[in-house]
Amino acid sequence: MSHAATAGDHGHDDHDHKPPFFQRWFMSTNHKDIGTLYLIFSLTMLFVGGAMALVIRAELFQPGLQFIDPHFFNQMTTMHALIMVFGAVMPGFVGFANWMVPLMIGAPDMALPRMNNWSFWILPFAFTILLSSFFVPGGAPASGWTLYAPLTIQGGMSVDMAIVAIHMMGISSIMGAINVIVTVLNMRAPGMTLMKMPMFVWTWLITAFLLIAVMPVFAGAVTMLLTDRHFGTAFFNPAGGGDPVLYQHIFWFFGHPEVYIMILPAFGIISHIIPTFARKPLFGYSSMVFATAAIAFLSFIVWAHHMFTVGMPLQGELFFMYATMLISVPTGVKVFNWVTTMWRGSMTFETPMLYAIGVVFLFTLGGLSGLMLAITPADFQYHDTYFVVAHFHYVLFSGAVMAMMGGAFFWLPKWTGHMYNETLGKIHFWLTAIFFNITFFPQHFLGLAGMPRRYADYPVQFTEFNQWSSFGAFGLGISQLLFVYIIVATVRGGKKATAEVWDNPEGLEWTVPSPAPFHTFDEPPVIR
Amino acid sequence: MSAHSKDHYFVPDASAYPFLCSIALFCIAMGGASYLNGYTFAPTLMSAGFLGMAVLLFIWFRKVIIESPDYNMDVDKSFRMGMSWFIFSEVMFFAAFFGALYYIRTLAIPWLADTELLWPGFEATWPSTGPLGAELLAGVHPDASSIAEGTKFALVDPWHLPLYNTLLLLASSVTLTIGHHTLRASKRRQTVFWLALTVVLGAFFLFLQVEEYIEAYTQLGLTLGTGVYGSTFFLLTGFHGFHVTLGAFILLVVLIRYMKGHFTAEKHFAFEGGAWYWHFVDTVWVGLFIFVYIL
């Protein structure tokens, strides 16, 4: 890990000269402003996608159809997932990368600042297209976010809009990932060797590699969909010699690394918060790095565990089962390292630390249900049930999203120059953690009992668990208004934050004043 | 902040190009989706998008070229890394289509033939149009049905046009490398010659590729709708052809810039980036020649 020998004086007046509004927010080349844009976009999308989740949960509060018809229900599940994955989680982490990576490695900015801004601005336009698909004949895509053929071959114009929107998001992600890789590999302050890099930087380096490797594959898959739909090709049409299962293979070759794209940066954030509040250096730094790399490698050879029931040869089922189980080894290394970091630390439980511990605990639950799903014969029972829904919300919400919330509280003082209200922060954590578990824990039981996902209706015996789940979902959704309130209040005022913010934290970002000046590290810091 | 010096990493001033390019991209994407669904405004929107994007990219690259004397070696290295990773992303894009070809040939077609229930009598062969390829073909191209009798269509003979194309592209890689060596030796006229020859070879490749497509459509009964063989054949070779077009255009711009004196024997990243891209396009072609045409 890195130490800065010189704090440096970065607070010159001329450095804090900010351009006028339009220039600053629409034409930015500043990694901090672009990071802020990404974070605001991500939070907005969290609420848009969250509102759709609440429509789903309202409909599922009781058996029978109450509020919406099944077709609209399918549009809701599809769009909820697309928006959360590509609009909330991925841009959120890019926002963190933009803000923190240059600060952590002592770089003046991202390596390719204009391209950085382009990566961001593509997103609002892409989501305008995706969201406006609600208003074309037939409504939004209703195939599930995986856009499986042959259903999407038959869909209406909305499928084309989803395809072009995905192409745009892909361009944005690839450019963003190239920017991160180049920044990390080329712009580290002198003396910061790779094995001295902060964990968040390491996890993002590997995430960026995954993005560049798999986003083009997804682009290829949806391109084949497009030509099958409009130009008479037969990639996914058995009558022409194609195979709809081919789509699933290509999709999940993208899709599985994609889920690690959404969790590795979360691991990075946790690896900063826990050492800070345990007041001990991260246990097993190099094993953390190698575990991250191992997870990334394994992510390329486990994709077909998403399709165990599709009718693969037995050898295929076995290979993907064992390969999938292997992932629990490097993931276990990480979990044990976090726990060992806390062992005999002088711990305090500020909001970010509560989130970090919450993530370690709840993500591990999601990992364990994942291990259950990895067992091929067992998966034949769980496949496409609410057990899967519970599993991936434990890794994606209580893993990725809660890590981002923890990260936001952790670095908010650095970003805004003010301390957030600790009491409100803690209340927000407990509301989120409790309502999250009320929402998703019962879904394990629903799935094990056989309730399939993506249906607007269900048999009466599933009612009670569904009511708990819907109750929790509304509580979870409303609690997030508090999150927005805390952020807005912190931006507008509050106790002044010191440069260090926390008790002797590690890392270059704590050597610059709070709020971080508009330009930092014009002169590279010296790393010992 | 505008005081850029070579001691510092070049951080550009605020720029409107990214935002405007996003609008152009929006017009292309939205126009494209609307066009495929028969909206009359779509061609206008799409053309406006393409035109806007072309103009904006021209201005953006122009700005970069004007700025480039202020770039230090770190910026140069960022550009090199950026280009390399971009090419890696392109490799993965082609990997998706090569993967699809492999899956269809090796797994999907034999499985389809094993399923006696659906299409009894369908045999696993490659190339294949699938059980109903010809009928699909007739549905997509009503006028092409007379060409394809039954599921029959003829393959492109790999030892004719594709072989010439292979030789053309391999030769163009050699001429480009010679051009790079002469550039580094500051032999100006030779560089112009070898670079121009590379572009001409690329253009000639594209000409033969168009010729091949015309032959496929008019004489061989091989079209985009010729079952899964036509799908993989035209999408693989088509995306490759698109990349050759882009690569040749890049090299043409590099040639013009070289003649205007933009490059020195030491500093000529645009040339090198274009050359990497060209070699990548070449390599993909060798893969196509082996796996699509010969095998």
Side-chain angles (χ1 to χ4, degrees):
Chain A
M1 303 295 280
S2 55
H3 304 261
T6 53
D9 179 16
H10 300 285
H12 301 303
D13 289 340
D14 57 327
H15 281 183
D16 241 12
H17 169 74
K18 295 185 180 80
F21 181 84
F22 189 83
Q23 262 196 31
R24 179 168 181 201
W25 295 111
F26 289 82
M27 298 163 59
S28 181
T29 48
N30 182 289
H31 72 101
K32 301 184 187 78
D33 282 352
I34 296 173
T36 304
L37 287 170
Y38 264 112
L39 291 170
I40 293 171
F41 179 78
S42 160
L43 191 59
T44 312
M45 285 296 136
L46 186 74
F47 277 89
V48 174
M52 292 175 183
L54 294 187
V55 173
I56 295 169
R57 283 320 316 175
E59 178 55 51
L60 290 177
F61 186 71
Q62 286 183 329
L65 299 177
Q66 283 82 35
F67 304 108
I68 54 175
D69 63 88
H71 181 58
F72 190 72
F73 182 89
N74 290 344
Q75 296 175 33
M76 284 289 111
T77 55
T78 306
M79 294 293 278
H80 163 71
L82 284 172
I83 286 168
M84 286 305 196
V85 170
F86 295 105
V89 176
M90 289 169 70
F93 281 126
V94 182
F96 276 93
N98 255 300
W99 251 102
M100 300 320 297
V101 167
L103 283 180
M104 286 176 168
I105 63 174
D109 207 295
M110 296 292 276
L112 305 157
R114 276 179 295 230
M115 197 172 87
N116 194 15
N117 197 29
W118 199 14
S119 305
F120 170 74
W121 275 108
I122 288 175
L123 287 177
F125 289 101
F127 279 87
T128 304
I129 295 180
L130 187 65
L131 284 167
S132 56
S133 70
F134 275 112
F135 306 107
V136 299
S143 55
W145 79 286
T146 52
L147 302 174
Y148 275 3
L151 192 55
T152 38
I153 305 290
Q154 300 156 349
M157 178 174 175
S158 62
V159 179
D160 298 320
M161 295 169 83
I163 289 171
V164 294
I166 283 166
H167 274 305
M168 289 172 75
M169 295 167 204
I171 294 169
S172 157
S173 295
I174 292 168
M175 290 197 300
I178 289 176
N179 223 334
V180 171
I181 289 199
V182 174
T183 306
V184 173
L185 293 183
N186 192 31
M187 298 188 66
R188 296 191 311 279
M192 181 174 285
T193 55
L194 283 175
M195 290 311 277
K196 276 187 187 169
M197 282 195 319
M199 260 326 279
F200 180 70
V201 179
W202 254 116
T203 53
W204 241 110
L205 178 65
I206 290 169
T207 301
F209 169 76
L210 291 178
L211 274 168
I212 301 177
V214 300
M215 284 312 288
V217 175
F218 190 27
V222 294
T223 303
M224 291 179 214
L225 268 187
L226 193 73
T227 58
D228 265 22
R229 284 169 56 78
H230 293 288
F231 302 104
T233 58
F235 286 104
F236 310 129
N237 182 356
D243 188 348
V245 178
L246 170 62
Y247 178 83
Q248 300 188 17
H249 279 293
I250 305 176
F251 179 84
W252 286 113
F253 183 83
F254 147 79
H256 201 78
E258 167 70 15
V259 302
Y260 294 143
I261 286 164
M262 293 191 282
I263 198 63
L264 292 182
F267 290 172
I269 292 174
I270 298 307
S271 305
H272 282 253
I273 296 176
I274 290 179
T276 304
F277 297 100
R279 291 166 182 78
K280 277 176 63 191
L282 185 68
F283 183 87
Y285 168 81
S286 51
S287 68
M288 281 301 220
V289 171
F290 292 119
T292 311
I295 292 173
F297 168 74
L298 288 171
S299 75
F300 284 104
I301 55 165
V302 297
W303 76 87
H305 67 219
H306 296 266
M307 16 187 315
F308 276 147
T309 59
V310 85
M312 274 187 298
L314 185 62
Q315 308 92 301
E317 310 259 31
L318 287 172
F319 171 79
F320 286 109
M321 174 170 80
Y322 289 130
T324 304
M325 288 176 166
L326 270 183
I327 296 175
S328 53
V329 177
T331 313
V333 168
K334 284 186 156 294
V335 171
F336 285 123
N337 278 346
W338 289 322
V339 174
T340 319
T341 306
M342 288 187 270
W343 180 254
R344 291 187 170 175
S346 25
M347 304 233 285
T348 51
F349 298 92
E350 286 87 345
T351 312
M353 186 60 163
L354 291 179
Y355 270 100
I357 296 171
V359 169
V360 172
F361 178 64
L362 295 171
F363 173 83
T364 304
L365 285 187
L368 290 173
S369 61
L371 201 54
M372 290 168 73
L373 287 162
I375 304 165
T376 309
D379 180 77
F380 273 61
Q381 171 73 14
Y382 311 145
H383 188 90
D384 259 345
T385 67
Y386 265 83
F387 192 78
V388 178
V389 179
H391 158 70
F392 69 70
H393 281 95
Y394 267 81
V395 289
L396 277 181
F397 189 91
S398 62
V401 176
M402 278 176 62
M404 274 198 270
M405 288 171 174
F409 283 113
F410 189 50
W411 285 305
L412 209 50
K414 179 57 62 187
W415 298 339
T416 63
H418 303 125
M419 296 304 288
Y420 60 88
N421 183 324
E422 192 62 60
T423 315
L424 287 182
K426 283 179 176 161
I427 292 173
H428 176 254
F429 166 77
W430 285 111
L431 287 175
T432 303
I434 291 170
F435 279 121
F436 165 78
N437 279 291
I438 296 176
T439 310
F440 292 105
F441 207 78
Q443 295 186 359
H444 288 113
F445 305 128
L446 284 171
L448 291 175
M451 178 172 164
R453 60 193 282 216
R454 293 172 172 163
Y455 277 86
D457 192 5
Y458 53 84
V460 188
Q461 75 262 29
F462 298 134
T463 310
E464 193 177 336
F465 283 136
N466 269 301
Q467 293 188 331
W468 276 109
S469 189
S470 292
F471 165 71
F474 277 87
L476 185 58
I478 292 164
S479 308
Q480 301 321 310
L481 297 175
L482 180 59
F483 186 52
V484 177
Y485 171 77
I486 297 171
I487 292 173
V488 172
T490 312
V491 171
R492 295 168 68 104
K495 211 176 94 205
K496 286 266 174 254
T498 60
E500 284 207 321
V501 182
W502 309 111
D503 185 11
N504 200 18
E506 231 182 313
L508 287 175
E509 74 263 39
W510 310 111
T511 64
V512 302
S514 303
F518 198 55
H519 294 290
T520 35
F521 298 124
D522 283 344
E523 301 295 337
V526 181
I527 316 287
R528 346 180 206 108
Chain B
M1 137 112 226
S2 52
H4 297 299
S5 81
K6 285 213 170 191
D7 306 337
H8 290 81
Y9 193 89
F10 186 93
V11 178
D13 297 326
S15 162
Y17 311 141
F19 182 69
L20 296 174
C21 280
S22 304
I23 296 177
L25 194 60
F26 171 82
C27 295
I28 295 171
M30 197 65 195
S34 315
Y35 174 74
L36 292 172
N37 291 275
Y39 286 92
T40 43
F41 68 84
T44 321
L45 185 62
M46 212 160 61
S47 317
F50 276 117
L51 186 71
M53 185 65 95
V55 171
L56 282 164
L57 286 183
F58 181 85
I59 303 173
W60 190 341
F61 275 94
R62 183 173 173 274
K63 171 99 173 160
V64 173
I65 291 165
I66 293 170
E67 283 169 357
S68 60
D70 288 337
Y71 295 164
N72 61 17
M73 287 318 285
D74 285 338
V75 182
D76 186 73
K77 205 172 163 196
S78 288
F79 278 27
R80 285 165 194 279
M81 287 180 165
M83 188 69 192
S84 319
W85 286 103
F86 167 66
I87 290 175
F88 174 60
S89 80
E90 294 270 52
V91 169
M92 292 309 292
F93 181 77
F94 276 97
F97 288 88
F98 275 106
L101 175 67
Y102 164 80
Y103 181 87
I104 295 283
R105 279 184 68 160
T106 319
L107 301 170
I109 295 279
W111 286 341
L112 206 54
D114 281 347
T115 315
E116 280 301 313
L117 238 56
L118 279 173
W119 285 288
F122 172 67
E123 297 213 8
T125 53
W126 189 260
S128 171
T129 61
L132 302 176
E135 280 153 61
L136 288 176
L137 179 61
V140 177
H141 298 280
D143 52 322
S145 55
S146 56
I147 306 162
E149 304 157 5
T151 55
K152 277 189 216 129
F153 63 93
L155 292 184
V156 175
D157 174 15
W159 307 113
H160 184 52
L161 288 181
L163 177 66
Y164 302 157
N165 267 346
T166 309
L167 297 176
L168 279 176
L169 275 195
L170 290 180
S172 75
S173 260
V174 176
T175 55
L176 186 58
T177 307
I178 298 174
H180 193 200
H181 282 289
T182 55
L183 171 59
R184 287 214 290 219
S186 301
K187 293 176 184 160
R188 213 179 147 67
R189 288 176 59 184
Q190 289 186 36
T191 309
V192 172
F193 171 77
W194 290 110
L195 193 51
L197 184 61
T198 311
V199 176
V200 169
L201 288 172
F204 201 42
F205 168 93
L206 285 171
F207 172 75
L208 289 189
Q209 196 68 2
V210 170
E211 193 74 3
E212 180 186 302
Y213 277 14
I214 293 172
E215 237 173 63
Y217 262 76
T218 55
Q219 291 165 31
L220 305 175
L222 174 60
T223 75
L224 197 55
T226 313
V228 78
Y229 182 79
S231 312
T232 50
F233 176 83
F234 279 105
L235 256 72
L236 273 163
T237 56
F239 274 118
H240 176 262
F242 172 71
H243 282 78
V244 176
T245 314
L246 189 61
F249 181 73
I250 292 172
L251 290 182
L252 183 65
V253 172
V254 166
L255 175 63
I256 294 167
R257 286 190 58 200
Y258 182 69
M259 297 201 293
K260 289 180 147 225
H262 285 191
F263 304 132
T264 64
E266 293 78 33
K267 208 173 172 190
H268 47 263
F269 166 68
F271 184 105
E272 288 171 302
W276 296 345
Y277 196 76
W278 193 254
H279 292 312
F280 149 71
V281 166
D282 260 13
T283 314
V284 172
W285 176 262
V286 174
L288 286 179
F289 187 56
I290 295 170
F291 293 107
V292 175
Y293 287 99
I294 299 180
L295 294 179

